[in-house]
Amino acid sequence: MKIKLLIVLVVFGACFSTLAQQTSGSASGNKAGIAEKGLMKVSVMYPYADGKTFDMDYYEKSHMPFVAGLLGSNLVRYTIEKGVSAGMPNAPLPYMAIGTFYIKSLPDYQAAIAPHRDAIRADFPKYTNISPVILISEVIR
């Protein structure tokens, strides 16, 4: 009986410990993943259409790090999203990919990008034949 009780306590302790780690990890992970109010968000969206192509590997390993490197300390973080489905069943995929930069200052972003605009655009054919749609917004929450 003592052995069974000991085993139950060990298992219970392990479960509690795992749960505590998951809770604390997800809380800190969520905080790191939340964009701060007041940041500017630059979303570069690549609309889906028949015959359009997108090389996610090149985009992730070359293009986005290249552009992110131009932004310096103004860049808080960036994300890369791969479109997998539309919001409604059987609806066409709206975007093949979306790249997002979270920045502190829009004027600083524009100043960093402007001198490199041609180089950024010249890189497009290396990963896509899509003309991106760009949306600049302010993070409210």
Side-chain angles (χ1 to χ4, degrees):
M1 182 72 176
K2 288 182 182 181
I3 293 176
K4 287 183 181 178
L5 180 59
L6 183 59
I7 292 172
V8 168
L9 288 174
V10 168
V11 169
F12 179 73
C15 290
F16 181 75
S17 175
T18 301
L19 179 62
Q21 288 174 354
Q22 288 176 348
T23 302
S24 110
S26 66
S28 64
N30 284 344
K31 190 168 186 172
I34 294 174
E36 297 174 27
K37 180 177 180 173
L39 288 179
M40 300 303 291
K41 179 180 173 185
V42 180
S43 300
V44 184
M45 302 173 286
Y46 297 86
Y48 172 83
D50 287 337
K52 298 299 181 181
T53 60
F54 196 90
D55 182 346
M56 185 60 73
D57 188 59
Y58 183 89
Y59 189 69
E60 178 184 6
K61 294 177 181 170
S62 296
H63 183 76
M64 286 294 279
F66 163 62
V67 177
L70 300 173
L71 302 179
S73 63
N74 187 35
L75 179 66
V76 174
R77 70 184 179 100
Y78 70 92
T79 62
I80 298 170
E81 301 169 47
K82 178 182 178 181
V84 295
S85 179
M88 297 298 293
N90 301 320
L93 182 66
Y95 296 100
M96 292 183 81
I98 301 174
T100 305
F101 298 102
Y102 291 90
I103 55 172
K104 299 172 192 171
S105 163
L106 182 57
D108 290 351
Y109 167 83
Q110 292 169 330
I113 293 298
H116 304 282
R117 190 173 325 211
D118 290 341
I120 293 168
R121 288 183 180 158
D123 201 38
F124 285 3
K126 295 178 183 174
Y127 66 92
T128 190
N129 59 356
I130 302 169
S131 294
V133 174
I134 299 173
L135 171 67
I136 298 175
S137 54
E138 180 182 355
V139 176
I140 301 300
R141 182 172 177 180

